[in-house]
Amino acid sequence: MNRKALLKGLLLSIGILTIQSCDKDFNTIGSGVIGDENFNMDKYTATDIIAYNQVTGEGNQPGPVETGYLPYNALGAFVDPVFGDTEASFVTQISLPTSNPLLTLGKNPKIDSVYVYIPYLTGTSETINEELQYELPSTYGKGTFNLQVYENGYFLSNFSPDPNNPNRIYSNEKSKIESFVKGVPLNDSPNIAQNSNFIFKNTVIKHFKYKKDGSIQTDETTGKPLVKETLKPGLYADLNKAHFEKLLFSPENQENLTNNNLFKNFFRGLYFKATKTGNRGAIGVMNFGSTDAKLVVIYHQDGEKEGDERVRRELRFAISSDLTAAVPNESSLITANYFTNDYSAKYLQNIQNPNKVQGDEKLYLKGGSGSFAIIELFKKNSQGVSEELEYLRKNKWMINDARLSFYVDKATLADGQQIEPTRIYLYDLDNNIIIKDYATDNTPQNALYAKAIYGGVLERETTGDKKGIRYRIKVADHINNLINKDSTNVKLGLAVSYDINNVSIKRLKTAINNSPKAIKTIPTSSIMSPLGTVLYGNNSSDEGKRMKLEIFYTNPKN
């Protein structure tokens, strides 16, 4: 059995166990009474719940979100008839090698090649036609886009004179970078798959061995090129040699290479600009902070003595530092994601004027700088009392399980590229924190299927195109809190999620009016996802597909 088959089997087993546990009327909580002949086991479907759309900006328009120091960044241009077009670009500072060999350059250094490499997030692999190929779970779309890599001329700074008001970077500030780009694109290779027709390739990248005369070494028996290094699939672009030779080797620039502070002001980093090229496009979520991400300069120089052979050397610059820290420190390289959106008229029409009294028919969840949903459970009447919640308290049921279910609107999504987010995330909107069911789920922290009991994983059809059916999220602990403590009846937020393990938050550029508290933040995991989905709300005309809250309980027989 190969690795791919093994992993699929494992995921299938996990999926079956998860679905089975969700479909059972009761879980093992309270197992001391379940099955006892003195107790009834039943299900209650709540009626007083609503959900409605909420954009990330003022009024009816999605607005800017904070995108500095994201753990993962989107890059590409994606065309989606449902939500509209999204272009995601990225800028990062560059750091000198830890041991700076630029200070001890030999005679007559000349660059052989320069390239930038950022690995993709990869899944299982298999060999097809003698070529190793990987699954790329974080790249979306089968089209291409135009990638231009520039030297950034805008000085990125994290300094703020007010410690209570840090310098934040927002998704709509690309014009700051655009106004200061230096020269022409550096990725000027004749291989258009690296620039004007960029495509996410799932094959490995090979670096070959070279002879002293610059030709590729070959195997004496097979005649095949000898491989020096193999890189996993990733963004790979050859950059202009002359540009970097002048930048790094010119005598007048040497004083700017003595330390990182001078270097970051002199060479202000790289700007990865993505624009659409056709009616499909592609976009990927990338780990620019990976330790394998690098800017590499390969050069040779004269030997120390006259007549010595030339020596090949390599300079490796850091693309970005560890971005997983909750608060990047002063030495962290500054990074930023920028989004340019051309939202579809259909999307904007459906998120305008949300029905905050009866709930919306459809919920449009869009990552990046898009939209999310607000959920209110057991709303209070004009006297400030939640009649349904009081009903649950009066019955004194033992709550064994509770699930929120959201069905996918397949008909609406059929107009798009059929790429659905794997996870959605439910959280305490009023306090910007996780709900208790998330906190008590200690299932393995696999990046894609972590928190499997808490849920939010897309359940798919098993045949055909395997379209999404629904998402379900466990809220049993949350409901128990509501029954026991009225103060915990907060508004909930529902958003798409790229990394379910990341529970940090980022700022909205403009706060949203809301009661009891203004909405000032959004989950970081939602910003990192370029995808969107459409779910049936509680007010859908299709009663069988409406959002619902099911509570499973036991109670004593009379």
Side-chain angles (χ1 to χ4, degrees):
M1 181 180 292
N2 60 30
R3 291 178 58 197
K4 183 175 182 180
L6 181 62
L7 182 57
K8 284 185 175 180
L10 177 60
L11 293 180
L12 178 61
S13 300
I14 293 173
I16 291 172
L17 290 172
T18 302
I19 292 170
Q20 286 178 342
S21 66
C22 293
D23 283 336
K24 288 181 180 179
D25 280 347
F26 305 99
N27 60 22
T28 56
I29 299 173
S31 57
V33 295
I34 292 176
D36 193 304
E37 61 182 10
N38 295 317
F39 287 84
N40 288 320
M41 299 181 291
D42 212 339
K43 177 179 71 175
Y44 176 81
T45 301
T47 58
D48 193 8
I49 62 173
I50 66 169
Y52 48 89
N53 290 291
Q54 177 62 62
V55 296
T56 55
E58 288 184 297
N60 297 322
Q61 292 283 336
V65 293
E66 185 184 357
T67 53
Y69 301 106
L70 292 177
Y72 298 95
N73 294 268
L75 181 70
F78 192 64
V79 180
D80 187 346
V82 176
F83 292 96
D85 302 346
T86 297
E87 295 176 345
S89 300
F90 176 78
V91 67
T92 179
Q93 291 180 315
I94 302 294
S95 178
L96 286 168
T98 304
S99 177
N100 187 1
L102 288 169
L103 299 177
T104 56
L105 282 175
K107 297 179 182 178
N108 196 26
K110 295 292 182 181
I111 290 180
D112 295 312
S113 64
V114 184
Y115 69 89
V116 61
Y117 167 72
I118 299 97
Y120 301 143
L121 297 166
T122 56
T124 56
S125 64
E126 62 180 331
T127 300
I128 301 176
N129 296 328
E130 298 185 354
E131 188 171 40
L132 187 61
Q133 301 185 22
Y134 285 80
E135 290 182 341
L136 303 180
S138 296
T139 62
Y140 315 104
K142 296 181 180 179
T144 64
F145 62 92
N146 181 25
L147 175 65
Q148 297 170 300
V149 182
Y150 290 94
E151 180 184 348
N152 172 40
Y154 179 80
F155 182 67
L156 297 166
S157 173
N158 55 14
F159 172 78
S160 173
D162 182 1
N164 297 317
N165 186 26
N167 184 29
R168 302 182 188 275
I169 301 171
Y170 291 93
S171 58
N172 67 334
E173 296 177 338
K174 186 171 74 170
S175 59
K176 292 181 179 179
I177 305 298
E178 295 274 302
S179 300
F180 289 92
V181 293
K182 291 188 175 182
V184 297
L186 300 175
N187 57 328
D188 55 1
S189 168
N191 180 3
I192 61 173
Q194 294 186 9
N195 39 65
S196 63
N197 202 40
F198 189 89
I199 186 170
F200 293 111
K201 293 184 176 180
N202 67 343
T203 53
V204 298
I205 300 163
K206 296 179 180 179
H207 285 159
F208 300 110
K209 294 182 178 181
Y210 285 84
K211 300 177 182 178
K212 294 176 181 178
D213 62 4
S215 60
I216 297 177
Q217 293 186 39
T218 57
D219 185 275
E220 294 181 356
T221 303
T222 63
K224 294 182 178 181
L226 294 176
V227 177
K228 176 183 178 182
E229 179 185 27
T230 300
L231 304 174
K232 282 189 175 182
L235 184 157
Y236 186 94
D238 292 301
L239 304 182
N240 187 277
K241 295 188 296 183
H243 181 90
F244 282 90
E245 195 162 279
K246 180 178 180 181
L247 182 83
L248 301 175
F249 296 162
S250 295
E252 62 270 21
N253 293 337
Q254 295 308 296
E255 65 181 37
N256 296 303
L257 310 178
T258 55
N259 62 63
N260 258 319
N261 288 332
L262 289 173
F263 180 71
K264 284 190 287 188
N265 183 44
F266 166 63
F267 179 47
R268 298 181 175 180
L270 293 176
Y271 171 45
F272 297 78
K273 179 181 180 179
T275 53
K276 66 178 183 178
T277 57
N279 59 0
R280 298 197 69 179
I283 197 166
V285 179
M286 304 182 61
N287 184 6
F288 282 86
S290 166
T291 54
D292 293 324
K294 55 188 175 181
L295 168 66
V296 175
V297 177
I298 298 174
Y299 68 102
H300 61 261
Q301 61 187 18
D302 290 342
E304 295 181 357
K305 297 179 180 179
E306 187 175 352
D308 283 355
E309 294 179 346
R310 300 178 75 85
V311 179
R312 288 173 60 87
R313 301 180 183 274
E314 179 178 301
L315 298 173
R316 173 173 170 164
F317 298 81
I319 293 291
S320 57
S321 52
D322 180 14
L323 302 179
T324 61
V327 180
N329 55 45
E330 293 182 359
S331 64
S332 298
L333 298 180
I334 300 172
T335 66
N337 226 165
Y338 300 110
F339 306 137
T340 301
N341 296 289
D342 182 12
Y343 298 113
S344 71
K346 183 177 181 179
Y347 170 51
L348 294 177
Q349 180 182 358
N350 278 280
I351 59 176
Q352 291 176 354
N353 303 314
N355 189 338
K356 298 183 179 181
V357 177
Q358 296 175 318
D360 283 334
E361 181 177 358
K362 298 180 180 182
L363 305 177
Y364 283 73
L365 311 184
K366 173 69 172 70
S369 53
S371 57
F372 56 101
I374 297 177
I375 298 173
E376 298 184 33
L377 305 179
F378 313 126
K379 290 192 68 175
K380 295 180 179 180
N381 59 23
S382 57
Q383 286 75 43
V385 176
S386 171
E387 296 177 7
E388 189 167 34
L389 190 54
E390 288 302 316
Y391 172 78
L392 295 176
R393 289 169 176 158
K394 182 180 178 180
N395 281 284
K396 297 182 179 180
W397 292 332
M398 177 176 292
I399 307 300
N400 298 292
D401 201 1
R403 301 270 168 179
L404 270 170
S405 297
F406 305 90
Y407 286 85
V408 176
D409 182 355
K410 298 179 186 178
T412 298
L413 290 180
D415 296 332
Q417 288 202 44
Q418 301 291 305
I419 302 173
E420 302 172 74
T422 302
R423 299 297 290 261
I424 59 174
Y425 173 55
L426 184 75
Y427 61 101
D428 177 343
L429 178 69
D430 287 346
N431 299 298
N432 302 315
I433 58 175
I434 59 177
I435 63 172
K436 188 175 180 181
D437 295 84
Y438 181 103
T440 55
D441 184 353
N442 295 314
T443 49
Q445 300 301 298
N446 176 284
L448 193 58
Y449 293 99
K451 303 289 181 181
I453 297 174
Y454 161 80
V457 180
L458 180 62
E459 298 173 20
R460 295 181 179 273
E461 297 172 346
T462 56
T463 59
D465 294 335
K466 298 184 179 180
K467 297 178 181 178
I469 301 172
R470 66 180 172 183
Y471 300 89
R472 287 188 287 184
I473 299 177
K474 178 178 174 290
V475 289
D477 294 331
H478 183 71
I479 297 300
N480 272 310
N481 271 350
L482 298 189
I483 292 173
N484 295 315
K485 296 184 290 184
D486 184 65
S487 61
T488 60
N489 195 5
V490 295
K491 290 181 179 178
L492 302 174
L494 183 72
V496 298
S497 176
Y498 175 73
D499 180 5
I500 198 69
N501 291 315
N502 190 307
V503 296
S504 65
I505 54 176
K506 290 286 188 181
R507 288 272 179 173
L508 300 174
K509 193 168 188 178
T510 304
I512 300 168
N513 289 330
N514 180 60
S515 176
K517 298 179 181 179
I519 302 172
K520 298 181 180 180
T521 63
I522 192 170
T524 303
S525 60
S526 178
I527 297 173
M528 293 187 292
S529 174
L531 302 180
T533 190
V534 184
L535 309 174
Y536 289 101
N538 68 288
N539 205 17
S540 171
S541 57
D542 187 340
E543 294 185 13
K545 297 293 179 63
R546 287 178 182 172
M547 177 194 93
K548 59 184 176 182
L549 169 60
E550 295 174 305
I551 300 172
F552 304 95
Y553 64 92
T554 57
N555 68 318
K557 292 181 179 179
N558 293 327

